[in-house]
Amino acid sequence: MTFTTPEHLKQHLLNQITKGLINQVQHKCDTLTRQLAHHKEEGIKWRGYYGTGFIIETDVWHKEMQPLFRSHVEPLAFYPNFDRIIRSAKEQTNATCKLLEERVGQHYTENEVLRTDSLRVNPNNNLIEGYVFGCKRGQMTDEEREATNFKIYVRMIWNYRYGENSANGHLTQYNQFRSERQGAEMEGKAETIRKEQEAKAERQAKLQAEKDAIKEEKWGRFQVLAVQMEKWTDKKIKGLGKKIAEYDKTIHNLKHNNFDTANEEHYKKVTAKDVELLNTLRNDTRTWQNDITKLRAIFDEGCDTRPKLVERYKVWGV
């Protein structure tokens, strides 16, 4: 037995979708009619309405072109096109019923049969919900049949798209269904779950392998910093050492001539602090060259680029 949407539920969907679409189109017609009246009253040129067939425009023909409307035709009012509305509502209803049948169908196999259902429209929220009942196909005792009984819980969700966001320019009502099988486990489900878990584990392993390969490639570039940063810090320390010597000479001359040396002494202190930080980094780079595992430990902590290493030792802008 293949599940088919009960006629009363199909009719409910059709009524709700039709009513919602008529209300939305009628609202648009009323808005257009008011806009048209305002344009006529104020003498504003009417640019016209170009819809998708859901609105009928009534008009009157003039022998002479009407400048206000840029044509011989003067629009009078706008009305819903009920034939187009009903056709669209039926299309949406059929799509919703098909989705419901697919949701139920994915919860039982060819070796099982559906017996009845308790699907209904919940008056509190206007949603279709309930159970579809089934059991294993074939001859068996009542006890054996009881062991194969299952039920499929189904609950509908309304989704709306209005105006320009909708497929028809007015209102599209997309329905979704949440479903869950309860009772006897579906035949082959355990094997399906096992295969899905294996496929998921394989995908995760592949992604992890790709991440590890990228990380190792990055490590290959990062580990050369042990030598590069030693040369860089050594050069910086020598340059700052010359600046400290110049500060000492300037301070000596200022003291000799009884001038204030506060600024020079401050800059000398700051420079000496930079030298201290650089010296710490230089000593560590030499340690890394003898024991690369210590640099790898820093790399694994997330300090995996030169800028991050500079920030770690607070030697930026030196």
Side-chain angles (χ1 to χ4, degrees):
M1 174 183 175
T2 303
F3 176 77
T4 303
T5 305
E7 189 61 30
H8 71 283
L9 297 180
K10 187 174 183 179
Q11 192 61 46
H12 167 75
L13 289 170
L14 180 60
N15 292 341
Q16 292 298 312
I17 293 173
T18 303
K19 183 171 65 175
L21 189 52
I22 289 176
N23 290 338
Q24 195 66 19
V25 174
Q26 183 64 62
H27 176 73
K28 182 65 175 180
C29 290
D30 295 341
T31 301
L32 289 171
T33 301
R34 288 195 302 269
Q35 290 176 348
L36 178 61
H38 175 73
H39 277 67
K40 290 181 180 179
E41 182 180 348
E42 300 294 331
I44 304 172
K45 286 187 177 181
W46 177 254
R47 296 185 177 182
Y49 171 72
Y50 305 96
T52 56
F54 286 84
I55 293 178
I56 298 175
E57 179 180 333
T58 61
D59 53 48
V60 61
W61 175 266
H62 293 277
K63 293 181 179 180
E64 299 179 355
M65 178 177 286
Q66 302 296 301
L68 185 62
F69 307 105
R70 299 179 181 178
S71 70
H72 295 273
V73 178
E74 176 187 348
L76 297 178
F78 301 88
Y79 300 95
N81 184 347
F82 290 102
D83 288 339
R84 182 71 179 87
I85 290 172
I86 292 173
R87 187 164 69 251
S88 176
K90 287 182 178 179
E91 291 172 355
Q92 293 184 48
T93 301
N94 291 336
T96 300
C97 293
K98 182 180 179 182
L99 179 61
L100 171 59
E101 291 160 8
E102 289 175 352
R103 287 289 180 271
V104 173
Q106 69 185 13
H107 290 293
Y108 71 97
T109 67
E110 295 179 353
N111 295 327
E112 295 171 321
V113 61
L114 301 179
R115 293 183 290 131
T116 184
D117 69 79
S118 64
L119 296 176
R120 64 183 181 90
V121 179
N122 189 330
N124 296 323
N125 52 27
N126 205 30
L127 298 175
I128 295 173
E129 60 182 350
Y131 292 92
V132 178
F133 301 92
C135 63
K136 190 172 182 180
R137 189 188 300 272
Q139 296 292 331
M140 60 187 76
T141 65
D142 291 342
E143 292 182 358
E144 292 174 338
R145 189 177 300 280
E146 182 69 24
T148 67
N149 283 344
F150 65 89
K151 57 183 179 179
I152 304 168
Y153 175 69
V154 179
R155 184 173 187 272
M156 188 184 77
I157 299 173
W158 284 103
N159 285 318
Y160 302 93
R161 298 292 184 272
Y162 293 93
E164 295 179 355
N165 294 325
S166 65
N168 55 34
H170 298 280
L171 173 64
T172 307
Q173 301 171 68
Y174 298 99
N175 302 93
Q176 293 180 329
F177 291 93
R178 299 289 182 265
S179 58
E180 178 188 15
R181 173 165 167 154
Q182 302 171 3
E185 187 177 89
M186 187 168 66
E187 186 179 40
K189 184 177 180 180
E191 180 65 17
T192 301
I193 293 175
R194 184 186 65 79
K195 290 181 178 179
E196 289 176 351
Q197 290 175 343
E198 290 179 353
K200 182 179 179 180
E202 184 178 349
R203 290 194 300 269
Q204 291 177 341
K206 184 178 179 180
L207 289 174
Q208 188 60 47
E210 292 175 354
K211 290 180 180 179
D212 292 343
I214 294 172
K215 185 176 182 180
E216 289 305 313
E217 183 181 353
K218 196 172 187 179
W219 164 245
R221 297 191 300 269
F222 184 79
Q223 62 182 334
V224 300
L225 292 179
V227 176
Q228 292 178 355
M229 295 297 282
E230 182 192 8
K231 295 179 180 179
W232 177 76
T233 54
D234 191 60
K235 182 180 179 180
K236 285 287 187 179
I237 289 172
K238 289 179 181 178
L240 293 179
K242 292 180 180 179
K243 288 183 68 174
I244 291 174
E246 291 175 0
Y247 284 133
D248 286 337
K249 184 177 180 181
T250 302
I251 291 170
H252 175 76
N253 291 336
L254 291 173
K255 286 182 177 180
H256 181 73
N257 294 292
N258 295 322
F259 287 111
D260 184 22
T261 61
N263 284 343
E264 282 70 18
E265 289 178 351
H266 169 72
Y267 289 126
K268 176 186 175 182
K269 184 177 180 181
V270 171
T271 305
K273 179 64 176 177
D274 290 339
V275 170
E276 181 181 348
L277 294 173
L278 287 166
N279 192 52
T280 300
L281 176 56
R282 182 175 63 176
N283 291 338
D284 285 350
T285 59
R286 291 170 178 172
T287 301
W288 298 336
Q289 292 178 54
N290 294 324
D291 188 359
I292 201 66
T293 58
K294 293 183 178 179
L295 180 61
R296 179 66 193 224
I298 295 175
F299 176 82
D300 291 336
E301 290 175 6
C303 181
D304 52 5
T305 63
R306 179 172 180 145
K308 290 181 181 179
L309 192 62
V310 168
E311 183 178 0
R312 183 186 182 96
Y313 282 86
K314 300 179 181 180
V315 292
W316 55 81
V318 177

